[in-house]
Amino acid sequence: SSPRHLMSISDLTSGEFSALVRNAALRKQAVKAAQAPTSLTTALTGQTVAMMFSKRSTRTRVSTEAAVTMLGGHPMFLGKDDIQLGVNESLYDTSVVISSMTSCMVARVGPHSDVANLAKHSSVPVINALSDDFHPLQTIADFLTISEAFPSSGTGLGLNGLKVAWIGDSNNVLFDLATGCVKMGVDIAVASPKGYGIPDSMRQLITSAAQGVDSPGKLSETTVPEEAIQGADVLVTDTWISMGQESEKKKRLDAFSGYQITSELAKRGGAKDGWKFMHCLPRHAEEVADEVFYSPRSLVFPEAENRLWAAVSALEGLVVNKGRIQ
Ligand code: CP
Ligand code: NVA
């Protein structure tokens, strides 16, 4: 039977998504308390995880390599100049060959179809490490971060009723974050300039995440940052110029002027008193001012660290437990 892959958050039921977040939290607590069970530290002994990255990465690379190491396996990093893929060999051939020798492929690509095609032909689980459309590992880390900042009193993540405001580009990071919000009962308001909003097909995918969820989060869209910020608990942004869009830099900087997250904007928009700031990183000053980015409201560094625990959780769910995520 074909293995289960992680292409985007929409591949997961809300129960599975919250299990990945919860397991990430449990692993984080156990390892920090020096109580990691042997079942964790030997889970991938003797196994190799191939990491095929056609774009730069700091967090995704380091967190994945560290996670595989923590599980006792060997992370094999294959950068775009290291293997034949794309230049001298097809995705199909590469996928069949690499999956015949490894336990998992973690791939960072441009077009989403590249990682989808790798998955289609792979005999082992494939994890999307960022494509032009999705970034599921980031979303798992982001929900771990939100659940730490807004702890619930009951069981479960208990995030129902929170509001996230995304101010900036409608991109890969947003699409999975929004899907996660819908599944977790967190409202998400998106403010993007005209022409940089959520494409129709993506909006459909995000809103369809509400199916089967008791009280799903709601997605709303505007071009006015203040409107999105009204009553928000968490303000989030990302770069305005994603990898692959470098040639649009000038045009984008113009289009996004006025979208920088500042304390003044948060105040004007009416964010909740205890509002927090998140950003997947890498960050540029144009999208968020230093006064916010380096303030006590900022969760960016715990959010980055949480990439490690998200990677551990995803590898356990997909590879160790063969897609039985619970
Ligand atoms: N947030 C994130 O994916 O960062 P990297 O591009 O450094 O991996
Ligand atoms: N949206 C950014 C995220 C980088 C982690 C990009 O795709 O470049």
Side-chain angles (χ1 to χ4, degrees):
S1 68
S2 53
R4 187 166 183 195
H5 309 291
L6 180 60
M7 295 291 107
S8 75
I9 296 300
S10 60
D11 293 348
L12 304 163
T13 65
S14 61
E16 289 172 333
F17 176 53
S18 77
L20 285 176
V21 176
R22 193 177 56 240
N23 293 340
L26 291 173
R27 290 322 197 183
K28 180 176 184 177
Q29 283 154 21
V31 173
K32 294 211 168 200
Q35 283 170 350
T38 322
S39 57
L40 177 76
T41 56
T42 61
L44 292 179
T45 301
Q47 300 182 51
T48 296
V49 172
M51 299 170 56
M52 298 137 78
F53 279 45
S54 70
K55 290 175 179 171
R56 285 176 186 283
S57 171
T58 297
R59 280 142 290 271
T60 309
R61 176 178 179 171
V62 174
S63 61
T64 305
E65 291 203 23
V68 173
T69 304
M70 196 177 285
L71 296 168
H74 172 67
M76 179 185 284
F77 186 81
L78 304 166
K80 71 171 174 8
D81 298 326
D82 295 324
I83 51 174
Q84 308 272 12
L85 176 62
V87 182
N88 197 28
E89 195 159 22
S90 70
L91 272 164
Y92 177 90
D93 297 4
T94 306
S95 177
V96 172
V97 169
I98 296 184
S99 68
S100 73
M101 298 186 249
T102 61
S103 298
C104 176
M105 294 192 279
V106 178
R108 170 166 283 202
V109 301
H112 184 72
S113 56
D114 282 4
V115 69
N117 281 328
L118 272 180
K120 191 167 165 197
H121 306 299
S122 170
S123 55
V124 298
V126 176
I127 298 177
N128 178 7
L130 181 134
S131 67
D132 287 345
D133 291 351
F134 303 108
H135 199 5
L137 294 170
Q138 184 69 49
T139 302
I140 299 166
D142 287 354
F143 271 85
L144 173 56
T145 310
I146 295 172
S147 68
E148 289 170 340
F150 299 91
S152 103
S153 42
T155 53
L157 295 177
L159 303 178
N160 234 298
L162 288 176
K163 178 179 175 184
V164 167
W166 174 278
I167 310 301
D169 193 19
S170 297
N171 66 14
N172 43 10
V173 172
L174 168 65
F175 302 148
D176 263 339
L177 179 67
T179 302
C181 284
V182 171
K183 286 184 190 288
M184 288 300 110
V186 172
D187 291 337
I188 177 159
V190 178
S192 299
K194 199 168 175 314
Y196 296 90
I198 304 175
D200 291 343
S201 60
M202 206 51 89
R203 180 179 311 104
Q204 258 171 36
L205 186 74
I206 294 165
T207 51
S208 70
Q211 279 164 26
V213 180
D214 274 350
S215 46
K218 285 188 209 58
L219 169 71
S220 57
E221 296 163 83
T222 172
T223 56
V224 184
E226 287 87 343
E227 263 176 36
I229 288 169
Q230 176 63 45
D233 300 280
V234 187
L235 273 51
V236 194
T237 193
D238 182 14
T239 183
W240 297 338
I241 302 141
S242 284
M243 290 182 274
Q245 298 173 334
E246 292 78 5
S247 66
E248 299 171 31
K249 181 166 180 181
K250 203 186 159 305
K251 191 178 93 181
R252 284 177 166 268
L253 287 178
D254 284 351
F256 287 86
S257 93
Y259 279 71
Q260 189 196 41
I261 298 184
T262 61
S263 351
E264 181 45 41
L265 176 66
K267 200 167 170 185
R268 220 167 48 233
K272 292 249 183 74
D273 281 346
W275 68 273
K276 300 289 184 193
F277 175 74
M278 289 174 58
H279 189 310
C280 65
L281 312 181
R283 166 259 182 174
H284 316 84
E286 64 252 20
E287 67 253 9
V288 53
D290 277 359
E291 59 171 12
V292 172
F293 188 81
Y294 292 110
S295 75
R297 295 187 184 280
S298 178
L299 303 176
V300 297
F301 296 119
E303 179 183 5
E305 182 200 323
N306 284 340
R307 293 294 311 272
L308 171 62
W309 309 109
V312 168
S313 178
L315 286 163
E316 285 196 283
L318 273 294
V319 187
V320 181
N321 298 327
K322 308 204 178 324
R324 282 185 303 277
I325 299 167
Q326 51 199 22

